[in-house]
C-alpha cells in the first residue's frame, strides 16, 4: 500500500505545479529586480490561509496562461505576505487579502479593480497596458485580431483625423475595459473588406448563428457610437457571467444550464441557438444564458435548489423587478408560450415566502411574502416591522422586548409585526427605525411618529391616565 500512497501524492504535487506554472512567485529579495525586467505585471498579494485567495488562484493561473505571448508583455505574479514577502506587502500597505496591484517595470501604476475570472482578468489587463484601439496595417493584422472568442469592433477610416475616427477613438478609450477595438486607414484593407468610413462589430466565430448577422455595420447617420456598441454587443442572447452581470438590464430572461465555451462549446450553443430562435421575435425583452453552477445563488432566489438534467431552466424579471419561473420543461414551444404570457402580464409572480401562519392572532403579527400586503401595507394602521434573521444574536436578544412591546400596544391603533428577512423577497422600502432597542425607546418613537396620538401614551411616550380615573 505504501508505494501507491506515495505515487498518489506525487501526481497531486505535479498537478498543482502545472496549474500555476505561468504565475511568477516573488519574494522580498526578488520583487524589485524581477519587476524591473518585466514590461507590465499584475501582482497578487495573498495569504495561504485566505479563502478568497484560494478561490482566486485557479482563475489567476488560467489568466496567466491566456496572457502568454501578449504584445505588449503582461506577467502575472504573486507575493506571500505571511512568509517571504512580508516587507514588500508592508511597503505597499497591503491590509487585506487578496490585494492586486498593477506595475510598469518596478513602478506602481494602480490598484486592480477588475474582474476575478480568468477571461475577465486577461481582458482587463490587456485594456490597461495596450492602446485603447489597435492599429491594423494589413490583412494579416485583421485576421489575427478577429481570431478571438470575444466581440471585436473595427473602425475603417479613409482619414485618420475624420470626425468619425475622432469619435471612434473617444469611445474606444471609454469602453476599452469592456470592448476590443481596432482601426485601420490601410487603403488595401479598406478596398478588400469593402468598408470605408464605417465601424463594424464582429461577433466571434464561437457565437455566430443563423438567426443573426455575424457582423453589424455602423454608419454616421445611425447616431451614437457607444449606443450602437451597447445595443449590439451581446447579440440576441448574451453570455452572462459573474463579471458582466451588471450589464444586463430588466426586463431580462435568463436560461440557466451547463454553459461552458471552453470544454463544451458545441453543447453550449445547442441550447443557446434554441433560445435565440424564439427570442428573436421578442425585441422588447432582453435575453441571456448563464452557467447554472456560477449562478446557483440566483436559482436559489427563485426557489430552485439545482438544475436537473441538461435542459435549461428559464427565469425572468420584468421591468418592475418581479420574478417569474418557467414551470414547464424546456422546449421551443414551451419557451415561446412563456414569453408571450410574460409580455401579456398573465403570469403569477414568484415570491420567496414561508407559509402563511394558521394562527396569526398574537399581539406581534407574523408577516411573510404572501400576506405582507394584508399584514403591513394595507392594514390601515401605522406599523412597526422588525426584519430579522433566525440566526442573529441581536435579534434573539430583542425578541422578548419586542413581544412585550406588542402586549403594551395591543389596544392601540398601531400594528407590531415581525418578518423573517431570510425567507422572503423584499417588496418595498419602509422608513427605517433608528432608535434604541429598549421597550421605552420603541414606545417613545411610536408615540412621537404615530399618525394619531396613542390612547395610553402622550406624544413624549409617557403613560396617560384613563379618563375614568380623572374624576
Amino acid at each position: 500500500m505504501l508505494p501507491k500512497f506515495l505515487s498518489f501524492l506525487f501526481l497531486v504535487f505535479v498537478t498543482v505545479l502545472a496549474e500555476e506554472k505561468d504565475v511568477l512567485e516573488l519574494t522580498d529579495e526578488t520583487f524589485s529586480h524581477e519587476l524591473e525586467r518585466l514590461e507590465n505585471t499584475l501582482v497578487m498579494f495573498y495569504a495561504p490561509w485566505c479563502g478568497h485567495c484560494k478561490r482566486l488562484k485557479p482563475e489567476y493561473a488560467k489568466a496567466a496562461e491566456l496572457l502568454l505571448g501578449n504584445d505588449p508583455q503582461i506577467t502575472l505574479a504573486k507575493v506571500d505576505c505571511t512568509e517571504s514577502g512580508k516587507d514588500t506587502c508592508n511597503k505597499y500597505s497591503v491590509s487585506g487579502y487578496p490585494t492586486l496591484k498593477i506595475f510598469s517595470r518596478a513602478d506602481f501604476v494602480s490598484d486592480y479593480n477588475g474582474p476575478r475570472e480568468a477571461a475577465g482578468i486577461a481582458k482587463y489587463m490587456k485594456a490597461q497596458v495596450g492602446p485603447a484601439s489597435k492599429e491594423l496595417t494589413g490583412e494579416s493584422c485583421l485576421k489575427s485580431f478577429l481570431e478571438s472568442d470575444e466581440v471585436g469592433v473595427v473602425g475603417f477610416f479613409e482619414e485618420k483625423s475624420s470626425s468619425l475616427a475622432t469619435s471612434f477613438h473617444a469611445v474606444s478609450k471609454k469602453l476599452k475595459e469592456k470592448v476590443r477595438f481596432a482601426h485601420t486607414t490601410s487603403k488595401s484593407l479598406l478596398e478588400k473588406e469593402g468598408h470605408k468610413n464605417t465601424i463594424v462589430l464582429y461577433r466571434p466565430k464561437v457565437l455566430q448563428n443563423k438567426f443573426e448577422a455575424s457582423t453589424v455595420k455602423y454608419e454616421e447617420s445611425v447616431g451614437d457610437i457607444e449606443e450602437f456598441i451597447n445595443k449590439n454587443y451581446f447579440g440576441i442572447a448574451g453570455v452572462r457571467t459573474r463579471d458582466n452581470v451588471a450589464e444586463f438590464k430588466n426586463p431580462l430572461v435568463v436560461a440557466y444550464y451547463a454553459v461552458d465555451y471552453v470544454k463544451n462549446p458545441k453543447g453550449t450553443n445547442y441550447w443557446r441557438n434554441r433560445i435565440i430562435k424564439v427570442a428573436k421575435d421578442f425585441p422588447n425583452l432582453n435575453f441571456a444564458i448563464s452557467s447554472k453552477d456560477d449562478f446557483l445563488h440566483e436559482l436559489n432566489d427563485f426557489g430552485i435548489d439545482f438544475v436537473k438534467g441538461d435542459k435549461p431552466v428559464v427565469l425572468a424579471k420584468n421591468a418592475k423587478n418581479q420574478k417569474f419561473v418557467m414551470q414547464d420543461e424546456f422546449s421551443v414551444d414551451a419557451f415561446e408560450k412563456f414569453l408571450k404570457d410574460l409580455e401579456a402580464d398573465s403570469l403569477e409572480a414568484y415570491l420567496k415566502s414561508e407559509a402563511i401562519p394558521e394562527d396569526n392572532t398574537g399581539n406581534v403579527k407574523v408577516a411573510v411574502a404572501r400576506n405582507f400586503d394584508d399584514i403591513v401595507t394595507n392594514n390601515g394602521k401605522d406599523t412597526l416591522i422588525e426584519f430579522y434573521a433566525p440566526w442573529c444574536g441581536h435579534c434573539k436578544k430583542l425578541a422578548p422586548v419586542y413581544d412585550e412591546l406588542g402586549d403594551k400596544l395591543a389596544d392601540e391603533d398601531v400594528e407590531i409585526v415581525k418578518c423573517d428577512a431570510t425567507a422572503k423577497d423584499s417588496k418595498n422600502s419602509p422608513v427605517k427605525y433608528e432608535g434604541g432597542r429598549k421597550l421605552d425607546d420603541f414606545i417613545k418613537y411610536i408615540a412621537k411618529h404615530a399618525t394619531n396620538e396613542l390612547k395610553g401614551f402622550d406624544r413624549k411616550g409617557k403613560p396617560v391616565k384613563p379618563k375614568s380615573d380623572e374624576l
Side-chain angles (χ1 to χ4, degrees), residues 464-471:
V464 297
K465 292 181 180 181
K467 290 183 179 180
S468 59
D469 293 344
E470 291 178 358
L471 299 175

Side-chain angles (χ1 to χ4, degrees), residues 2 27 31 42 56 62-63 84 111 116 132 136 207 213 225 235 243 254 264 281 296 320 327 366 386 390 398 405 457:
L2 185 58
T27 66
F31 188 86
L42 174 63
L56 178 59
K62 291 177 190 174
S84 58
D111 290 321
R116 297 299 173 103
L136 308 178
L207 295 182
I225 298 173
D243 286 335
V254 183
N264 189 18
D281 296 324
L296 184 59
K320 295 182 286 188
Q327 301 291 348
V366 177
E386 176 202 8
L398 178 63
L405 177 65
F457 300 88

Side-chain angles (χ1 to χ4, degrees), residues 425-437:
D425 285 326
S426 177
K427 296 184 65 176
N428 50 25
S429 300
V431 177
K432 186 177 181 181
Y433 172 78
E434 301 283 7
R437 294 297 189 266

Side-chain angles (χ1 to χ4, degrees), residues 175 178-179 201 203 212 216 218 222 224-238 247-248 283 285-287:
L175 301 182
K178 169 187 172 182
V179 184
L201 182 146
R203 304 197 192 286
E212 59 185 341
V216 188
Y218 168 90
V222 172
D224 187 79
I225 298 173
E226 184 177 353
E227 183 181 347
F228 161 78
I229 294 171
N230 289 333
K231 180 181 178 180
N232 294 287
Y233 187 83
F234 290 111
I236 296 174
E247 297 176 40
F248 290 83
L285 299 174
N286 301 314
F287 294 87

Side-chain angles (χ1 to χ4, degrees), residues 75-190:
T75 303
L76 266 56
K78 61 182 180 179
V79 176
D80 183 348
C81 293
T82 67
E83 293 292 341
S84 58
K86 287 183 179 180
D87 292 341
T88 302
C89 294
N90 289 332
K91 177 181 178 180
Y92 290 100
S93 303
V94 175
S95 58
Y97 309 114
T99 292
L100 288 83
K101 296 179 181 289
I102 301 171
F103 292 81
S104 176
R105 302 298 180 185
D107 295 326
F108 169 70
V109 175
S110 67
D111 290 321
Y112 174 89
N113 297 308
R116 297 299 173 103
E117 292 180 339
I121 294 170
K123 185 175 182 178
Y124 183 93
M125 287 304 299
K126 287 178 181 179
Q128 296 304 308
V129 304
S133 178
K134 184 175 183 179
E135 184 172 9
L136 308 178
T137 57
E139 184 180 349
S140 61
C141 294
L142 176 62
K143 182 179 179 182
S144 176
F145 179 78
L146 297 179
E147 287 178 349
S148 170
D149 290 339
E150 298 178 23
V151 168
V153 178
V154 181
F156 295 87
F157 310 117
E158 289 184 295
E159 299 291 339
K160 288 184 178 182
S161 58
S162 69
S163 59
L164 182 62
T166 301
S167 299
F168 172 86
H169 287 298
V171 172
S172 71
K173 290 175 182 177
K174 184 176 180 180
L175 301 182
K176 68 176 185 177
E177 292 175 8
K178 169 187 172 182
V179 184
R180 296 169 57 250
F181 289 95
H183 64 279
T184 185
T185 55
S186 166
K187 291 183 179 180
S188 60
L189 189 53
L190 265 62

